[in-house]
Amino acid sequence: MEKTNQSEGSEFIILGLCDSWELQVFFLLIFSSLYLTTILGNIFIVVIIIIDLRLHSPMYFLLANLSFIDFCLSSVTTPKMIIDFLKEKKTISFGGCMCQIFFGHFFGGGEMVLLVSMAYDRYVAICKPLHYSSIMNRHMCIGLVVASWIIGFVHSISQLVIIVNLPFCGSRVLDSFFCDIPLVIKLACLDIYVLEILINADSGVLAAVCFILLLMSYSHILTTVCLHSKDGASKALSTCTAHIIVVVLFFGPCIFIYLWPVSITWVDKFLAVFYAVITPLLNPAIYTLRNKEIKNAMKRLNTKYLKIIREYADLIK
């Protein structure tokens, strides 16, 4: 009990990405710009899908939820990292550390399941087009989204329960820019071998299972379409390429961090930055640049507001 209270009242020291002040100023400008772009890009996708009636379909409903999760996921660690670039001594409270762990795994786990849901949507659309409307109905779409949030929550709670009551003593230095379980448990005052296996199994198995399901889904899509159409491969690739790129970019760092047996500090930091900062930025960019319907919706929105501005200008005259 005494050790637990000591843990809850302590702070963790964060070493950040580097020691150089010049590099930290450079990173401050870069990551502030990236974070602002991420927030605006994901909010834009959510808004345009809501206001454009032509985008009210299962695929875009799931895409809007993906953008919302990316907005949340990028806000778990990036604002703290940006503020820390201005500080000489970077610390985080025990409660703040636990919150980063909880919400990071909550939104991360939810996104994994949501990506599987999006793959299932594409599978039904391409492999069972005649049954698409009946299978991917409103209840199914809402159920898939709710399931992603529930699984993300259960996954996050299961991680937090393991770590929240650990006694911490001695050094409380984290060689990273945020709190993550593999780093935090190494500071515990007990043998962590079994805990590491449990935690890596929890996160690693969830990531690996979702990734395998995604590979199976997209492989089946490509195989099915190629067998039924001469130019099926190009059509399937055109439809699924954006999804596949996002899947690889999201799951690659996760699987490497939790399943790779050797920990290399600079590699872990790079993958953590890629996962927390770059991936939520790339998702809206990939879906916007590669999706004709999103681009057409942007043109319609632009035309609509230009018309409103012209009418307003005419009224003023």
Side-chain angles (χ1 to χ4, degrees):
M1 185 69 180
E2 185 178 344
K3 287 183 178 180
T4 302
N5 291 336
Q6 182 184 2
S7 299
E8 292 175 353
S10 66
E11 287 186 336
F12 295 100
I13 298 172
I14 299 174
L15 296 184
L17 294 179
C18 62
D19 297 324
S20 169
W21 176 249
E22 291 77 13
L23 273 178
Q24 290 192 63
V25 172
F26 173 73
F27 285 147
L28 171 66
L29 298 174
I30 294 297
F31 287 117
S32 296
S33 302
L34 290 176
Y35 179 62
L36 181 61
T37 305
T38 300
I39 295 302
L40 294 177
N42 283 294
I43 289 176
F44 176 76
I45 287 182
V46 173
V47 170
I48 200 170
I49 289 174
I50 290 173
I51 65 177
D52 194 313
L53 296 178
R54 299 185 189 185
L55 298 180
H56 286 191
S57 66
M59 185 178 80
Y60 293 106
F61 174 73
L62 296 173
L63 176 57
N65 280 275
L66 177 67
S67 292
F68 178 72
I69 288 181
D70 278 330
F71 164 79
C72 297
L73 184 61
S74 65
S75 299
V76 173
T77 58
T78 309
K80 168 68 175 168
M81 177 182 65
I82 292 171
I83 293 171
D84 281 345
F85 285 134
L86 300 171
K87 297 179 179 179
E88 184 176 351
K89 184 180 180 182
K90 304 170 179 59
T91 61
I92 186 170
S93 67
F94 179 83
C97 185
M98 294 302 107
C99 283
Q100 279 195 343
I101 289 172
F102 173 78
F103 287 109
H105 284 267
F106 176 40
F107 295 125
E111 182 160 343
M112 289 181 190
V113 180
L114 189 60
L115 287 171
V116 174
S117 300
M118 294 176 73
Y120 176 71
D121 170 73
R122 291 300 83 204
Y123 163 75
V124 176
I126 295 172
C127 300
K128 299 182 178 181
L130 298 178
H131 302 284
Y132 182 73
S133 298
S134 59
I135 295 175
M136 294 303 296
N137 54 45
R138 182 183 180 88
H139 295 294
M140 173 63 79
C141 292
I142 293 174
L144 290 173
V145 171
V146 171
S148 70
W149 287 101
I150 291 174
I151 292 174
F153 179 78
V154 172
H155 163 66
S156 184
I157 283 293
S158 67
Q159 299 273 290
L160 198 64
V161 165
I162 295 174
I163 195 173
V164 72
N165 289 319
L166 288 179
F168 297 98
C169 55
S171 173
R172 293 190 179 88
V173 178
L174 299 173
D175 193 3
S176 183
F177 62 93
F178 73 108
C179 282
D180 198 13
I181 292 180
L183 296 174
V184 174
I185 60 172
K186 291 178 181 178
L187 306 179
C189 307
L190 45 79
D191 184 7
I192 61 169
Y193 178 74
V194 176
L195 291 178
E196 283 186 314
I197 293 176
L198 289 174
I199 288 169
N200 289 338
D202 190 345
S203 296
V205 168
L206 177 63
V209 168
C210 289
F211 189 64
I212 291 169
L213 288 174
L214 287 163
L215 288 179
M216 291 172 59
S217 298
Y218 287 120
S219 298
H220 190 69
I221 289 171
L222 293 175
T223 303
T224 302
V225 177
C226 287
L227 291 174
H228 290 83
S229 175
K230 293 180 180 179
D231 60 342
S234 60
K235 290 182 179 179
L237 283 173
S238 177
T239 305
C240 300
T241 297
H243 293 250
I244 294 170
I245 292 173
V246 169
V247 165
V248 172
L249 292 176
F250 183 82
F251 280 89
C254 291
I255 293 174
F256 189 92
I257 289 172
Y258 287 99
L259 294 183
W260 192 255
V262 180
S263 179
I264 305 172
T265 301
W266 72 267
V267 174
D268 290 342
K269 286 185 179 182
F270 171 78
L271 292 174
V273 168
F274 196 89
Y275 171 78
V277 180
I278 307 300
T279 302
L281 170 65
L282 290 178
N283 284 356
I286 290 169
Y287 283 113
T288 301
L289 295 176
R290 296 193 57 86
N291 191 294
K292 290 182 180 179
E293 291 187 37
I294 291 285
K295 288 191 281 189
N296 290 335
M298 291 168 62
K299 291 177 183 177
R300 290 192 295 270
L301 185 65
N302 185 47
T303 303
K304 178 181 177 181
Y305 281 101
L306 282 176
K307 183 179 179 181
I308 292 174
I309 291 171
R310 286 171 186 166
E311 290 176 353
Y312 182 73
D314 291 339
L315 287 174
I316 294 176
K317 292 178 181 179

